[in-house]
Amino acid sequence: MKPQGTAAQHWIPFRENRAECRLCPRHCRPKNERMGFCGVRGTLEGEIRSFNYGQSLAATEEVIETEAVNHFSPGARILSMGNVGCMMACSFCQNWETSQTQYLDYQMVRHYTPQQVVDICLANQIPIISWTYNDPVVWHEFVVETSRLAHKNGIKTLYKSAFFIEAEPVNELLECIDIFSLSLKSLNDEFYRKQTKARLAPVLERIRQVAASGKYLELSQLVIPELNDSNKDVEQTIDWVLQYIGAEVPLHFVAFHPAHQYTHVERTSIETLKNARELALQKGMKYVYLGNTHEPDLNNTVCQKCGTVLVKRYGLHSQVENLDSHSNCTQCGTRSPILYPLDGINQSSPGIKFSTPKQLEIHWHNEAQSAHILQLGGQGKTDTLSIRSLGIERVTSKTLSAGLDRFILSRHSSEETGILISWDSDCHYQNLEVLDRAHYPTNPGSEQTISFRTCLEI
Ligand code: SF4
């Protein structure tokens, strides 16, 4: 039987048996039984239908810093939900194996209902759902419905996107999303057209739409060697942010790792990132951060008045220091920009001991200082693991329940050399190296792959 998809919003009739999708500025007009550019929305008997409603990568517990969000509840745990398909096609995509449907193995795709996503959060006390990885724009209906349900259950929502989207769907998001983390690839329209197959102007307009709404916003730019890493490129971004968004918005310059069609360069150097940060600070930006680095002291938030460190950061780890519950600097009383400063801390549980544990040992190295830990064979059972740092004295535990079977561990400090995970259930655990934040590592070479496109052919 042919897939029927689910009803989609944001489209208009076009010609007989065709329709025009108005979700993103591409305005695809797929012929009957054909997909649009994103590969997950298509025309069926004169209507645009969504073919990826609830079709997701494994729900994964991470921390809010994974999403280039530094001023909202530091250290808060999030449930990262990544769908499939994308309205862009970046040559340098860091998640191309899931964003570009022609490469996606259908065996990786899970099916969730809005209630199941909320139940995972409630059972595991995860306070925020993050719509992330490839791009949440192309499963808009599922995002909106689940976010509304999340709010009814006291769960907050985060939207991490390249934001090539139309204004009307953004108005819906403004009603049900609490935190926006938006990425600006460049201030050069030719760059957008050539390297991302999108356009710059709609992205800028939509970022301004969010900023004008007063919703919580942080901005980031992936800095890619030879593509957008010159002083001119960086200064254009800074000037635009200063003119239209303001000096107070946190701005992240994020290191790139070679991927997809852009593999002839090295990772972005720390010198390049430091240079971008210095330019932004000189021009008057107040809070500038560097993503995908483990350089000490570069990513701390300091009091703008007395210079006291308010939040200390190492990689994805945050430690709130010298802030009271009202977000005032405990040294001089100045109000900091950090929202809910104490909500995200003290969320890890104390360690436990097993008599005859099974174990998995991970060693950090320069290319990978975080890992996704996958539970295999658990079939939704509750399981508890002990997590011991190697190189430093630190032991915590982690309980997985209600179908949550994937979570991130990241390097805690430069002295921590690795992690030893122990458990005594019948489950198995495997690790996949996370190359950079918001990177979703795919399962290593299963013997037979099933093309996602084939499964969706209508
Ligand atoms: S969401 Fe998909 S189908 Fe709709 S206009 Fe954008 S790329 Fe085309």
Side-chain angles (χ1 to χ4, degrees):
M1 200 177 86
K2 286 178 186 171
Q4 298 296 303
T6 53
Q9 296 168 289
H10 306 293
W11 59 272
I12 57 168
F14 179 49
R15 292 198 200 116
E16 197 180 332
N17 245 6
R18 283 175 80 171
E20 179 177 303
C21 179
R22 293 285 184 92
L23 178 56
C24 89
R26 203 173 289 285
H27 289 198
C28 299
R29 293 165 173 172
K31 288 182 183 163
N32 192 38
E33 302 195 0
R34 289 282 181 275
M35 292 291 180
F37 181 92
C38 56
V40 289
R41 295 169 83 83
T43 303
L44 198 61
E45 289 161 15
E47 292 181 11
I48 295 289
R49 308 275 296 175
S50 164
F51 290 88
N52 64 341
Y53 182 92
Q55 300 208 32
S56 172
L57 307 172
T60 304
E61 186 195 310
E62 300 186 305
V63 288
I64 197 164
E65 286 76 9
T66 318
E67 308 294 42
V69 174
N70 277 4
H71 287 189
F72 195 105
S73 199
R77 296 187 300 140
I78 59 173
L79 187 71
S80 289
M81 298 295 299
N83 61 314
V84 294
C86 188
M87 67 293 174
M88 294 163 75
C90 301
S91 62
F92 49 83
C93 182
Q94 308 279 275
N95 279 316
W96 59 277
E97 289 151 301
T98 55
S99 71
Q100 305 301 303
T101 54
Q102 65 268 41
Y103 303 113
L104 178 65
D105 181 355
Y106 194 76
Q107 293 175 98
M108 289 186 55
V109 177
R110 305 272 187 99
H111 299 261
Y112 294 97
T113 65
Q115 188 65 53
Q116 282 171 328
V117 177
V118 168
D119 286 347
I120 291 173
C121 287
L122 293 174
N124 293 279
Q125 288 110 43
I126 299 174
I128 299 170
I129 296 172
S130 178
W131 304 106
T132 184
Y133 295 134
N134 50 328
D135 206 292
V137 165
V138 294
W139 65 342
H140 181 77
E141 293 79 8
F142 187 75
V143 168
V144 169
E145 194 178 331
T146 310
S147 296
R148 286 174 178 158
L149 187 63
H151 276 184
K152 284 186 189 154
N153 286 273
I155 298 163
K156 290 195 164 58
T157 54
L158 188 161
Y159 198 86
K160 173 103 176 72
S161 174
F163 229 42
F164 188 57
I165 182 172
E166 279 295 0
E168 205 176 299
V170 171
N171 283 332
E172 282 176 348
L173 294 175
L174 291 173
E175 289 170 22
C176 61
I177 298 293
D178 301 292
I179 306 156
F180 286 86
S181 176
L182 304 180
S183 68
L184 187 52
K185 311 284 182 196
S186 162
L187 254 285
N188 182 338
D189 185 54
E190 196 187 330
F191 173 102
Y192 264 87
R193 287 175 190 269
K194 203 168 155 192
Q195 301 296 341
T196 77
K197 307 292 180 283
R199 288 179 286 119
L200 171 64
V203 175
L204 298 183
E205 284 167 24
R206 297 300 100 78
I207 293 176
R208 290 177 70 182
Q209 187 179 346
V210 171
S213 76
K215 279 279 174 168
Y216 185 85
L217 172 65
E218 300 202 17
L219 294 175
S220 59
Q221 180 165 322
L222 192 66
V223 180
I224 310 161
E226 299 175 22
L227 276 187
N228 66 355
D229 63 340
S230 71
N231 279 7
K232 186 179 164 205
D233 289 313
V234 171
E235 284 176 341
Q236 281 178 334
T237 296
I238 299 164
D239 290 343
W240 184 85
V241 173
L242 281 168
Q243 183 173 359
Y244 294 104
I245 311 299
E248 302 276 338
V249 70
L251 177 61
H252 303 248
F253 290 109
V254 181
F256 157 91
H257 71 261
H260 196 27
Q261 297 156 342
Y262 203 74
T263 55
H264 68 285
V265 295
E266 302 281 309
R267 271 175 181 261
T268 314
S269 71
I270 186 66
E271 289 71 30
T272 301
L273 294 178
K274 279 182 178 172
N275 177 58
R277 179 174 183 266
E278 204 47 45
L279 287 170
L281 292 173
Q282 278 168 15
K283 280 179 172 279
M285 292 298 302
K286 297 262 177 60
Y287 304 101
V288 187
Y289 299 106
L290 304 184
N292 296 333
T293 69
H294 288 74
E295 287 284 307
D297 298 330
L298 275 182
N299 279 326
N300 297 339
T301 303
V302 297
C303 176
Q304 293 286 308
K305 186 167 180 203
C306 71
T308 298
V309 173
L310 305 176
V311 184
K312 200 170 168 65
R313 297 190 179 83
Y314 180 82
L316 296 179
H317 280 278
S318 288
Q319 177 140 350
V320 175
E321 298 178 346
N322 305 310
L323 270 181
D324 65 20
S325 58
H326 300 291
S327 204
N328 297 322
C329 171
T330 53
Q331 300 302 306
C332 73
T334 301
R335 186 70 181 262
S336 90
I338 309 291
L339 294 185
Y340 310 109
L342 306 186
D343 283 11
I345 60 172
N346 297 327
Q347 290 185 344
S348 57
S349 313
I352 43 174
K353 279 193 177 164
F354 300 114
S355 49
T356 52
K358 295 158 194 163
Q359 295 188 323
L360 173 67
E361 195 167 318
I362 301 167
H363 292 274
W364 305 130
H365 57 91
N366 280 346
E367 288 295 304
Q369 308 199 43
S370 301
H372 277 183
I373 310 301
L374 280 56
Q375 183 196 62
L376 306 171
Q379 288 155 344
K381 276 187 291 187
T382 297
D383 198 16
T384 301
L385 304 97
S386 171
I387 300 165
R388 177 182 291 278
S389 293
L390 303 175
I392 59 170
E393 283 297 317
R394 185 169 186 266
V395 187
T396 60
S397 65
K398 155 80 54 198
T399 297
L400 300 171
S401 60
L404 179 66
D405 56 10
R406 186 165 175 141
F407 66 98
I408 197 169
L409 286 177
S410 62
R411 192 174 192 172
H412 187 263
S413 66
S414 56
E415 291 79 33
E416 188 191 79
T417 57
I419 293 279
L420 180 66
I421 302 170
S422 310
W423 68 97
D424 70 353
S425 71
D426 293 336
C427 298
H428 299 284
Y429 287 89
Q430 176 192 358
N431 73 303
L432 291 177
E433 292 184 337
V434 174
L435 297 181
D436 281 325
R437 70 182 177 194
H439 167 234
Y440 185 91
T442 51
N443 294 350
S446 55
E447 289 192 352
Q448 190 187 3
T449 58
I450 304 171
S451 156
F452 182 81
R453 283 239 165 139
T454 308
C455 292
L456 280 199
E457 246 160 20
I458 50 179

